[in-house]
Amino acid sequence: MTSSNIEFIYQNKIFKIKNPDSNETLLNYIRTKLKKTGTKEGCAEGGCGACTIVLGELKNNEINYKAINSCITFLPTLQGKQLILVEDLISKDGSLHPVQQAMVNYHGSQCGFCTPGFIMSLFSMYKKNSRFKDSEIKDSIAGNLCRCTGYQPIIKAAKSLKNKNKIDQFSNNKKDIINLLKKINNKSIVIYYKGKKYFAPRYIMELKKILKKNVDIDFLSGGTDLSLIVTKERKDINSIIYMNSIRELDYIKNNNKYIEIGASTPLIELESYIEKYYPDFTKILKRYGSPQIRNVATVAGNIATASPIGDCLPLLLSLNAKVVLQDLKKTKIFFLDDFFISYRKTKLKKGQFIHSIRIPLPKDNTFKAYKVSKRFDDDISSVCAAFNLEIGKNKVRSVRIAFGGMAAIPKRAIYCEKILSNSIVTDEIIYKAKKALEKDFKPISDMRASRSYRMEVAKNLLEKFCVEIKQKKLIGVYF
Ligand SMILES: Cc1cc2nc3c(=O)[nH]c(=O)nc-3n(C[C@H](O)[C@H](O)[C@H](O)COP(=O)(O)OP(=O)(O)OC[C@H]3O[C@@H](n4cnc5c(N)ncnc54)[C@H](O)[C@@H]3O)c2cc1C
Ligand code: FES
Ligand code: FES
């Protein structure tokens, strides 16, 4: 079934919007059309969390409550989901939700501008986990900034929610909402609005048919890069095809050789899946944007953007990952090594989309990754480094090292790798390997870091890697 009207659940009812503007943000709709002004606008670029709302999405017959940034979400992507705003947390009898009450009890608000966003981030955590650790509290609010209260009262409020009875109006209504979500979950969307086109196919076959007639079209996955064209550059995006509506592309599987990640899989799912194979991948993802960003952003979007500071990219390069591309007729598989051409340019051609990403499963290799940014949470890397090492009998058998933030593209440190490969890792070899980085990279100075800082950090991360490997006694005998 195809429709030009989107449907979503709001306040336990199906809401319909006829022919919406595909470039309108959800935040704008909430504040100006729904007239709910609890949700605030701070930065309009996903960085402050004031606009955080929660979406309920059906997954395996359950509702998955996701905090997202409504300022960088396009309205039509609301199709088939439940919209929950800060105003909706108050019960019919006027009593506050336990999350709101905890913020009152622990004085978690002063001017109040950030408060609705914090409430919604904590609400999403509260609905997801029956128990949560202190680290999960901090993680859940990593995408929310507060200028006046300070974070301790908010953290204390969140801690007080541990072991609280989780029954609230949302759990009481869950069955009804699931039934409503099932009713509206089965259609593809095609919208023509004042010269703008928006497609949200449900199947790959539909996607290909759309591509046949619309070669010059922008793929929208999480929208955490693309939407900024509208919210920051103030430009229109005239043709959009929404990839995250395609369920067939939302998967992670492994076949004993590699992990395959479908293009629409949000990073938050990769973050938990990959931990048992490559714990450092998860460690980096936990510092990738915020939960609001990772709830929607994808690896495919990160690869297609090809930013020199895209965090997944050095990790994937060092793990020798492949990217699977499709067009109308063919599937092409590239090693990521061969995929990036120049600054933000890739081998991706018009009419081609990223179908999936393949990461080899670990064998005898040790993988480590490091991110250095000005701020620990929700910040873009100054330098990101990834090391993938295989140890032979007496020496390093092979090593793949890749850096972000050191060149116009995410790039391997080939000269440095050559020094380390087939070597016994002595202090002298480490010195030579660090020196080789000067041959590999000529970093630039920009607002995030100076050229010399970047080079110094890259060298230090290489040394840190060697020291940590030694401490784990993986290559200790070779020092
Ligand atoms: C507040 C904030 C914090 C951020 N923090 C980080 C960070 O810490 N580290 C980091 O690396 N990045 C960060 N980013 C950037 C961004 O989140 C990532 O690049 C993200 O992975 C993009 O994925 P997406 O699914 O949102 O892509 P989108 O924005 O939907 O798309 C990005 C580009 O990829 C193309 N594209 C998307 N899917 C496909 C596909 N299947 N096939 C072909 N082309 C496709 C789009 O057309 C577009 O050109 C941040 C962004 C924001 C707003
Ligand atoms: S307004 Fe700042 S994250 Fe949306
Ligand atoms: S209470 Fe004022 S910004 Fe947080």
Side-chain angles (χ1 to χ4, degrees):
M1 193 167 61
T2 304
S3 172
S4 60
N5 306 327
I6 65 154
E7 287 179 303
F8 60 97
I9 313 297
Y10 181 59
Q11 295 184 335
N12 308 327
K13 287 192 219 96
I14 297 179
F15 251 66
K16 197 183 258 192
I17 309 178
K18 286 189 179 165
N19 230 29
D21 178 354
S22 56
N23 285 191
E24 178 166 14
T25 64
L26 181 52
L27 177 63
N28 193 58
Y29 174 76
I30 291 167
R31 289 181 58 87
T32 64
K33 315 263 169 56
L34 279 183
K35 308 273 184 214
K36 299 287 180 191
T37 50
T39 311
K40 306 290 184 235
E41 180 170 52
C43 62
E45 59 180 28
C48 75
C51 66
T52 305
I53 54 115
V54 168
L55 294 181
E57 286 181 26
L58 205 53
K59 193 141 197 192
N60 305 326
N61 246 359
E62 274 297 321
I63 304 176
N64 190 6
Y65 295 97
K66 285 180 167 183
I68 63 148
N69 296 121
S70 60
C71 68
I72 52 170
T73 302
F74 292 135
L75 178 58
T77 64
L78 196 52
Q79 161 59 30
K81 297 169 189 166
Q82 179 190 14
L83 174 66
I84 306 173
L85 306 178
V86 69
E87 288 89 345
D88 307 323
L89 265 56
I90 298 174
S91 301
K92 275 191 185 140
D93 66 5
S95 51
L96 294 180
H97 189 274
V99 175
Q100 293 170 311
Q101 192 57 56
M103 285 285 269
V104 173
N105 296 348
Y106 288 84
H107 309 287
S109 176
Q110 281 187 32
C111 80
F113 195 82
C114 69
T115 312
F118 272 99
I119 299 268
M120 295 316 281
S121 291
L122 291 175
F123 169 72
S124 152
M125 177 193 73
Y126 178 86
K127 294 303 291 175
K128 266 194 211 148
N129 309 325
S130 47
R131 286 156 192 233
F132 37 83
K133 299 185 207 135
D134 289 358
S135 58
E136 281 163 291
I137 293 175
K138 286 191 181 159
D139 187 39
S140 75
I141 55 171
N144 295 81
L145 297 181
C146 176
R147 296 224 157 177
C148 41
T149 305
Y151 298 97
Q152 281 315 312
I154 298 169
I155 291 170
K156 280 187 189 153
K159 282 187 185 172
S160 76
L161 294 165
K162 284 185 185 177
N163 307 319
K164 267 256 157 103
N165 182 356
K166 289 278 151 54
I167 307 283
D168 60 9
Q169 70 264 38
F170 298 94
S171 40
N172 290 335
N173 277 342
K174 200 168 91 179
K175 270 194 182 158
D176 293 345
I177 299 292
I178 289 179
N179 287 334
L180 288 177
L181 284 170
K182 281 182 184 164
K183 267 192 189 169
I184 59 169
N185 219 341
N186 57 358
K187 57 181 188 181
S188 308
I189 301 291
V190 177
I191 301 170
Y192 294 93
Y193 175 91
K194 293 187 180 169
K196 290 179 218 160
K197 292 189 231 171
Y198 174 90
F199 302 91
R202 294 182 64 231
Y203 302 102
I204 297 175
M205 278 310 291
E206 275 181 64
L207 164 71
K208 289 187 179 175
K209 277 186 195 159
I210 297 164
L211 285 178
K212 199 173 176 181
K213 292 188 186 152
N214 301 274
V215 181
D216 215 355
I217 196 161
D218 281 305
F219 296 102
L220 172 73
S221 289
T224 60
D225 266 316
L226 195 73
S227 63
L228 273 61
I229 294 176
V230 174
T231 67
K232 286 282 126 173
E233 292 177 33
R234 302 267 172 195
K235 290 181 189 156
D236 282 342
I237 309 176
N238 287 324
S239 295
I240 293 177
I241 188 158
Y242 184 43
M243 301 294 281
N244 285 11
S245 56
I246 305 172
R247 293 275 160 83
E248 282 169 287
L249 291 176
D250 180 0
Y251 67 87
I252 308 183
K253 58 187 183 189
N254 96 52
N255 67 359
N256 295 324
K257 282 190 182 154
Y258 53 79
I259 300 165
E260 185 169 298
I261 307 142
S264 326
T265 313
L267 288 171
I268 208 94
E269 282 169 28
L270 179 61
E271 180 182 320
S272 46
Y273 185 92
I274 206 163
E275 186 160 24
K276 77 172 178 204
Y277 303 103
Y278 295 115
D280 269 29
F281 210 119
T282 300
K283 190 181 82 183
I284 298 295
L285 287 180
K286 284 210 175 290
R287 291 183 54 203
Y288 189 120
S290 60
Q292 290 95 315
I293 294 290
R294 302 196 300 277
N295 272 330
V296 292
T298 60
V299 185
N302 207 217
I303 293 176
T305 303
S307 162
I309 41 177
D311 279 332
C312 290
L313 311 181
L315 280 61
L316 293 171
L317 279 169
S318 79
L319 288 170
N320 205 13
K322 291 177 185 169
V323 54
V324 180
L325 306 183
Q326 284 197 357
D327 59 20
L328 289 180
K329 292 189 185 134
K330 282 180 264 155
T331 297
K332 279 194 175 167
I333 304 177
F334 284 94
F335 278 106
L336 211 59
D337 264 350
D338 304 323
F339 190 66
F340 302 113
I341 302 171
S342 57
Y343 181 66
R344 289 186 179 264
K345 287 224 160 57
T346 70
K347 291 265 167 82
L348 205 57
K349 293 194 182 125
K350 281 207 186 307
Q352 247 178 355
F353 63 94
I354 298 178
H355 172 279
S356 50
I357 296 96
R358 292 179 182 170
I359 304 176
L361 282 167
K363 284 191 194 151
D364 306 327
N365 47 326
T366 298
F367 173 73
K368 285 196 151 281
Y370 310 90
K371 169 169 174 166
V372 176
S373 51
K374 281 190 173 172
R375 211 171 52 179
F376 188 84
D377 285 313
D378 203 359
D379 200 3
I380 304 286
S381 293
S382 304
V383 178
C384 184
F387 303 88
N388 186 12
L389 181 88
E390 273 185 62
I391 297 158
K393 246 186 165 183
N394 271 318
K395 46 179 107 160
V396 171
R397 196 187 305 145
S398 69
V399 64
R400 290 177 66 92
I401 302 173
F403 282 89
M406 294 291 289
I409 53 171
K411 193 169 160 259
R412 285 199 26 221
I414 302 290
Y415 290 106
C416 177
E417 287 176 5
K418 274 189 191 147
I419 303 281
L420 288 170
S421 295
N422 292 313
S423 315
I424 294 171
V425 185
T426 58
D427 283 351
E428 194 193 336
I429 287 290
I430 296 175
Y431 175 80
K432 281 189 181 166
K434 282 166 71 177
K435 244 356 231 160
L437 287 176
E438 291 173 15
K439 230 169 145 185
D440 277 311
F441 299 110
K442 302 275 175 258
I444 56 159
S445 296
D446 64 12
M447 61 176 176
R448 289 200 176 85
S450 68
R451 178 195 170 123
S452 58
Y453 175 83
R454 286 196 152 104
M455 184 49 78
E456 197 64 28
V457 166
K459 288 178 179 174
N460 288 350
L461 291 178
L462 172 65
E463 186 159 354
K464 184 178 165 75
F465 167 70
C466 293
V467 170
E468 285 182 0
I469 292 287
K470 184 182 168 193
Q471 278 167 352
K472 284 201 167 175
K473 304 208 184 317
L474 285 168
I475 53 172
V477 285
Y478 311 124
F479 276 77

